[in-house]
Amino acid sequence: MFLKVFLLLLLLNLGASAEDSFIYNGFSSANLILDGIASITSNGLLEMTNTTLNMKGHAFRPKPFRFKSPTGKTLSFSTTFVFAIRSDISDLSGQGIAFVVSRTTDFSADTAPSQFLGLFTPKNNGNSSNHIFAIELDTLQNPEFRDINDNHVGIDINSLISNQSLPAGYYEDGTGSFQNLTLISGKPMQVWVDFDGDKMQINVTLSPMGMPKPIKPLLSDIVDLSSLILDNMYVGFSAADGPFRTHHYVLGWSFKMNGAPDPLDYKKLPELPAIKTNSKSKTLALWLPISLSLFLLLAVAATLLIVRRRAKYAEIHEDWEQEYGPHRFKYKVLYQATNGFKERELLGSGGFGRVYKGVLPDSNIELAVKKISHDSRQGMREFVAEIVSIGQLRHRNLVQLLGYCRRKGELILVYDFMPNGSLDKFLYDQTKPTLNWAQRFRIIKGVASGLLYLHEDWEQVVVHRDIKASNVLLDRELNGRLGDFGLARLYDRGTDPQTTHVVGTMGYLAPELTMNGKATTVTDVFAFGTFMLEVVCGRRPIMPHCVGEDLILVDWVYENFRRGLLIETMDPRLGDEYSVHEVELVLKLGLLCAHPVPASRPSMRQVMQILDGDVEMPELVPSSLSFNTLSLYQNVGFDNYLMSLTSSAGTITSGPTGR
């Protein structure tokens, strides 16, 4: 009887592990689980993304493989596949593609930004409970994941912060010299991934399609996958498109447990779509013979005209641009996108330039194009500051800088287009609909999250120095994004920021800033506190026609708090649709952030914890506070500032706004 049971269990085990390999020379008849925007084309290409912006695609084998022996030992496996990445915009790409070994095929709950490749979210990135092993082929540099560049291969263990990564390429057999490969070239390339379960060694090899597998792998790492790998795991691919329209293709795929995968038959792989090209032919017809002397004269004259024309419209390139470098747009492209910078495309203007709506002609991507005034004395310095700072930042609540252009006398920045414009229009423009409390609360939390990223979560400390409602832009879903980094300053963690002259917008300036000129994260917190009060009260930080404590918003809210009338400061347009607890919480937190004593202000991490309900709001005792912001503003010409507001019908003059 025991022998029969043993034989039965043995047969069942053999049946369960009978399928230990597969090969797809094209995917026309492939049985795969597809989700997101992944699909199989008519000629058999596995198309993971189809240029739908900020979308993801997944493709997995429907049956899991047994990755562990009956004794619990992690088994070896190998795979090879051919892929290609093509972008509709030359030299620009969405996110990358990854080969994945996962405990699940269900990533439908993933709502993270596209840089997470459809595999993780900000909350679970790095969690050991993910049980995800991936080889990423990444075409964008995301500082939050410590990416080495925008063209790299990485080994990912439960996180997009790679265990090891190197620039894409291969080592030539014989010479051992390294040859670069450009992942977004649109050319098919082959990847081999080999895991040795005995040595716990991962080898990743890359080469152009059709070339024999290089002897030396691109990446080789010792990683103990025993805790990550479960008994049964799925294999597949995940890809994501980002801010630019990108196709991610897989042409063929072979996989095997405990052995080398069957080689792909390159002749059977499907063809990639033809690259669209614009061919221009020029025909020159000569009606009369021209003497040699006249021909030379015309040639010289034409050369002089071309040289003068190029000099007139020449773009400026300097060494610092190579170090920082978001994408550089050609002026001609931006000129066409904005219809020649016509007035009808104007979105807004400020003290530092004008902002136009643009649409890239080839891709229909909407842009906000900002031309910084050439006669601005600090225009170049602020332009460089914005390139250096926001050009490298990646956060869902920050306006993304897509690129820039420089011409003689013109400085141009290109941003994501925010269709709903700036927040101050919704607070003060009577033609705009009133934001309800839920929308305002979400905007406050979003801006707080972006500011926390600037202060604590990026590689350097970024002090924004101009936080205000007109610098908060709203996307299609009315999510708040902090923009305009023209006054931003960066410094390394642990160093002391240098004292500078006072910049910013009156009403948001911390009192100590008017005396020592030192902008810090604490002065940003003061401005954010004023911003919170402004959003709740629907009232500008300075009301030029008021007097006494009614003149300054912070002082006015404090005075009402002292009298027990805090809830009375709320914007009356909110009606009865609000949470008393949330309104009082934000008002008190705004007063705490705008505390006259800098050391008493919370950090942005504490602010987020309070807004999320993870930490109790500290008790504020009105009698222990003393707000008199007005008297401290006298140091920076406040009376003259009030006169300028009164003469302009009470509108607050702002800096560069209106993305």
Side-chain angles (χ1 to χ4, degrees):
M1 181 66 180
F2 174 79
L3 180 61
K4 290 182 179 180
V5 171
F6 175 77
L7 291 174
L8 179 61
L9 290 175
L10 180 62
L11 288 172
L12 289 173
N13 186 60
L14 289 173
S17 60
E19 185 183 24
D20 64 352
S21 66
F22 63 82
I23 183 170
Y24 295 125
N25 290 302
F27 295 88
S28 293
S29 59
N31 179 21
L32 297 176
I33 297 175
L34 304 177
D35 74 2
I37 56 174
S39 64
I40 296 175
T41 66
S42 58
N43 70 331
L45 283 170
L46 175 56
E47 187 176 31
M48 300 297 297
T49 65
N50 58 13
T51 74
T52 305
L53 296 181
N54 298 311
M55 293 295 289
K56 296 164 280 286
H58 303 94
F60 282 90
R61 282 277 297 184
K63 292 183 179 180
F65 284 86
R66 183 172 294 279
F67 273 74
K68 287 198 172 182
S69 69
T71 62
K73 177 181 176 295
T74 303
L75 301 177
S76 302
F77 65 89
S78 295
T79 189
T80 184
F81 58 92
V82 175
F83 76 98
I85 303 176
R86 285 184 176 177
S87 174
D88 285 358
I89 304 176
S90 177
D91 299 328
L92 291 176
S93 173
Q95 306 293 337
I97 186 173
F99 165 75
V100 184
V101 177
S102 169
R103 65 181 176 84
T104 180
T105 64
D106 183 10
F107 292 88
S108 59
D110 172 30
T111 58
S114 56
Q115 64 262 36
F116 286 87
L117 296 183
L119 296 174
F120 306 104
T121 68
K123 291 185 177 181
N124 71 16
N125 188 44
N127 291 353
S128 59
S129 60
N130 292 329
H131 294 284
I132 292 176
F133 164 77
I135 301 299
E136 67 172 52
L137 303 148
D138 203 355
T139 55
L140 279 183
Q141 183 175 14
N142 293 294
E144 62 192 293
F145 303 137
R146 305 172 196 165
D147 288 347
I148 57 174
N149 62 16
D150 59 357
N151 185 61
H152 62 272
V153 181
I155 299 173
D156 297 345
I157 308 296
N158 288 322
S159 170
L160 282 180
I161 299 177
S162 300
N163 268 39
Q164 185 183 123
S165 63
L166 284 174
Y170 65 96
Y171 295 97
E172 284 189 336
D173 294 344
T175 65
S177 62
F178 183 76
Q179 302 296 323
N180 287 302
L181 288 175
T182 302
L183 296 176
I184 63 167
S185 65
K187 299 177 181 178
M189 303 176 196
Q190 188 163 3
V191 179
W192 292 264
V193 181
D194 302 294
F195 174 70
D196 187 325
D198 295 324
K199 299 178 181 179
M200 287 294 171
Q201 181 171 337
I202 300 169
N203 289 337
V204 182
T205 311
L206 179 66
S207 78
M209 186 187 80
M211 178 179 147
K213 179 182 179 182
I215 297 174
K216 181 180 179 180
L218 173 65
L219 291 173
S220 185
D221 199 9
I222 302 296
V223 181
D224 187 355
L225 296 184
S226 57
S227 61
L228 182 149
I229 297 293
L230 304 178
D231 287 346
N232 295 303
M233 302 287 283
Y234 295 88
V235 294
F237 297 94
S238 180
D241 201 355
F244 302 103
R245 302 176 187 275
T246 307
H247 299 265
H248 296 85
Y249 297 108
V250 182
L251 288 73
W253 182 21
S254 181
F255 179 88
K256 184 172 180 61
M257 299 295 303
N258 289 316
D262 293 332
L264 295 171
D265 187 341
Y266 303 125
K267 295 180 180 180
K268 294 181 180 179
L269 298 185
E271 294 285 338
L272 289 168
I275 300 176
K276 298 179 180 179
T277 58
N278 293 324
S279 60
K280 294 184 178 180
S281 60
K282 295 184 178 180
T283 304
L284 177 64
L286 296 176
W287 296 95
L288 297 172
I290 302 174
S291 66
L292 179 60
S293 58
L294 182 57
F295 175 80
L296 291 175
L297 180 62
L298 291 174
V300 170
T303 301
L304 290 174
L305 286 173
I306 292 173
V307 169
R308 289 184 61 186
R309 185 176 183 84
R310 286 182 177 176
K312 181 178 180 181
Y313 296 104
E315 299 178 15
I316 301 173
H317 296 260
E318 294 186 20
D319 293 340
W320 61 264
E321 297 179 70
Q322 298 178 5
E323 178 182 358
Y324 302 114
H327 175 64
R328 178 163 184 148
F329 285 84
K330 290 188 176 297
Y331 180 77
K332 181 179 179 181
V333 172
L334 299 180
Y335 188 88
Q336 294 174 342
T338 58
N339 292 317
F341 295 99
K342 293 291 177 60
E343 286 295 316
R344 66 173 178 270
E345 305 296 343
L346 185 67
L347 296 174
S349 59
F352 298 90
R354 296 158 69 84
V355 184
Y356 299 84
K357 180 181 179 181
V359 180
L360 290 178
D362 294 334
S363 60
N364 290 326
I365 295 176
E366 294 182 315
L367 310 169
V369 183
K370 175 182 175 184
K371 296 181 72 174
I372 297 179
S373 304
H374 69 278
D375 56 351
S376 172
R377 290 178 297 175
Q378 297 178 341
M380 176 59 71
R381 180 169 59 81
E382 287 155 2
F383 174 76
V384 175
E386 194 154 6
I387 287 290
V388 173
S389 56
I390 195 174
Q392 301 179 60
L393 301 175
R394 296 290 186 275
H395 192 276
R396 61 184 176 275
N397 294 112
L398 300 180
V399 177
Q400 180 64 52
L401 175 66
L402 302 179
Y404 71 101
C405 177
R406 291 183 61 201
R407 294 181 70 238
K408 184 178 180 181
E410 289 184 311
L411 312 173
I412 304 173
L413 299 175
V414 184
Y415 298 90
D416 272 340
F417 175 67
M418 296 289 107
N420 281 308
S422 58
L423 173 60
D424 64 324
K425 300 295 193 302
F426 284 83
L427 294 178
Y428 308 120
D429 188 343
Q430 300 300 320
T431 63
K432 294 281 188 180
T434 300
L435 295 173
N436 61 40
W437 172 246
Q439 291 168 328
R440 298 191 195 201
F441 192 47
R442 186 174 71 246
I443 290 168
I444 289 171
K445 292 178 69 174
V447 176
S449 177
L451 199 53
L452 171 60
Y453 171 76
L454 297 179
H455 286 184
E456 301 186 30
D457 291 343
W458 197 51
E459 59 189 35
Q460 287 182 290
V461 178
V462 182
V463 181
H464 188 277
R465 301 207 302 172
D466 202 19
I467 300 163
K468 56 185 178 181
S470 57
N471 282 346
V472 173
L473 286 300
L474 304 180
D475 61 19
R476 295 187 188 279
E477 289 75 36
L478 294 175
N479 296 305
R481 298 196 189 189
L482 182 60
D484 210 320
F485 285 69
L487 300 179
R489 289 292 176 268
L490 290 80
Y491 61 90
D492 294 329
R493 300 192 180 280
T495 61
D496 186 34
Q498 299 298 311
T499 302
T500 62
H501 63 283
V502 177
V503 296
T505 303
M506 201 72 71
Y508 300 90
L509 294 177
E512 72 273 13
L513 185 59
T514 66
M515 294 180 285
N516 61 29
K518 183 177 289 188
T520 66
T521 55
V522 177
T523 59
D524 266 2
V525 171
F526 180 94
F528 180 73
T530 304
F531 166 77
M532 283 196 289
L533 299 180
E534 181 180 9
V535 175
V536 178
C537 302
R539 174 177 171 139
R540 297 187 186 276
I542 295 176
M543 298 295 289
H545 298 294
C546 298
V547 296
E549 67 272 4
D550 293 348
L551 180 61
I552 307 294
L553 175 61
V554 173
D555 295 347
W556 177 71
V557 174
Y558 162 69
E559 189 61 26
N560 280 277
F561 176 48
R562 189 181 63 80
R563 296 171 180 171
L565 302 174
L566 183 62
I567 199 69
E568 301 299 323
T569 64
M570 182 190 65
D571 189 344
R573 291 178 298 171
L574 288 172
D576 298 327
E577 299 296 324
Y578 64 91
S579 165
V580 175
H581 169 73
E582 289 178 349
V583 170
E584 289 186 341
L585 174 71
V586 174
L587 288 170
K588 290 178 181 179
L589 185 57
L591 287 176
L592 183 62
C593 289
H595 199 288
V597 179
S600 297
R601 298 172 198 155
S603 68
M604 285 310 301
R605 188 167 300 281
Q606 292 170 323
V607 169
M608 278 303 302
Q609 290 171 340
I610 293 171
L611 289 174
D612 287 337
D614 297 331
V615 172
E616 289 292 327
M617 171 71 194
E619 184 178 357
L620 288 181
V621 180
S623 59
S624 67
L625 302 175
S626 179
F627 284 78
N628 192 1
T629 314
L630 175 60
S631 63
L632 294 170
Y633 275 172
Q634 309 298 329
N635 297 324
V636 287
F638 183 68
D639 293 336
N640 292 333
Y641 181 76
L642 276 183
M643 291 179 61
S644 70
L645 294 187
T646 304
S647 63
S648 60
T651 58
I652 293 182
T653 304
S654 61
T657 62
R659 288 275 191 266

